[in-house]
Amino acid sequence: MDKNYKEYVDKISPKPTYAKNYVLAFIVGGIICVIGQAINDAYMNFGLDKLKAAGATSMTLIFIGALLTGIGIYDLLGKRAGAGSIIPITGFANSIVSPAMEYKREGYVLGVGANLFKVAGPVLVYGIGSSVLCGFIYYVINFFK
């Protein structure tokens, strides 16, 4: 019975259009990066050095991603663009704000605060943990040279 059900589901499920998805992800991700570069150039034209402009650009893109998520635009973009909207830093902002908005009815502490890092938390934990491990390995290798 499981085999028949799987065949039925495969038969009626819509087939994804991979080429279209790849192109949309590439275009939207590219547009987000071009906007980020324009913001970075604007900060540098206002007199910030390269390092400070990069930090200000990151903060600005996170703010824009959070704002667009808050007003419901970023989720619509994500449905169409897929990975093109998830990979840039704006996707990080979306992954923080989305769960918080979903649970805002439950209050600021148990709703927003408890669910703020629901999606991004594991990414941050494993990202930071793997960077510490790689740094330790790098240190040990260079210590014995």
Side-chain angles (χ1 to χ4, degrees), residues 12-64:
I12 65 167
S13 296
K15 305 297 180 235
T17 53
Y18 291 111
K20 177 184 166 193
N21 293 345
Y22 295 151
V23 170
L24 278 173
F26 179 78
I27 290 171
V28 171
I31 289 171
I32 292 171
C33 292
V34 166
I35 291 169
Q37 186 64 49
I39 292 169
N40 189 57
D41 291 347
Y43 280 129
M44 289 180 72
N45 287 337
F46 284 128
L48 292 179
D49 64 11
K50 190 174 185 177
L51 187 61
K52 289 180 183 175
T57 300
S58 296
M59 288 187 291
T60 303
L61 287 173
I62 290 171
F63 172 76
I64 291 170

Side-chain angles (χ1 to χ4, degrees), residues 6-140:
K6 183 176 177 350
E7 289 174 2
Y8 172 72
V9 169
D10 288 341
K11 184 176 148 184
I12 65 167
S13 296
K15 305 297 180 235
T17 53
Y18 291 111
K20 177 184 166 193
N21 293 345
Y22 295 151
V23 170
L24 278 173
F26 179 78
I27 290 171
V28 171
I31 289 171
I32 292 171
C33 292
V34 166
I35 291 169
Q37 186 64 49
I39 292 169
N40 189 57
D41 291 347
Y43 280 129
M44 289 180 72
N45 287 337
F46 284 128
L48 292 179
D49 64 11
K50 190 174 185 177
L51 187 61
K52 289 180 183 175
T57 300
S58 296
M59 288 187 291
T60 303
L61 287 173
I62 290 171
F63 172 76
I64 291 170
L67 179 67
L68 292 177
T69 299
I71 59 178
I73 294 174
Y74 205 86
D75 292 335
L76 297 174
L77 179 68
K79 286 180 184 175
R80 298 281 180 232
S85 66
I86 296 171
I87 300 300
I89 198 166
T90 53
F92 169 75
N94 178 267
S95 70
I96 295 284
V97 174
S98 290
M101 293 208 33
E102 185 176 337
Y103 292 97
K104 69 182 175 185
R105 306 180 215 91
E106 296 178 22
Y108 288 114
V109 175
L110 296 177
V112 175
N115 293 293
L116 195 61
F117 292 101
K118 193 174 225 176
V119 175
V123 174
L124 292 171
V125 167
Y126 287 111
I128 292 168
S130 63
S131 67
V132 168
L133 180 63
C134 289
F136 179 73
I137 292 169
Y138 178 78
Y139 174 78
V140 169

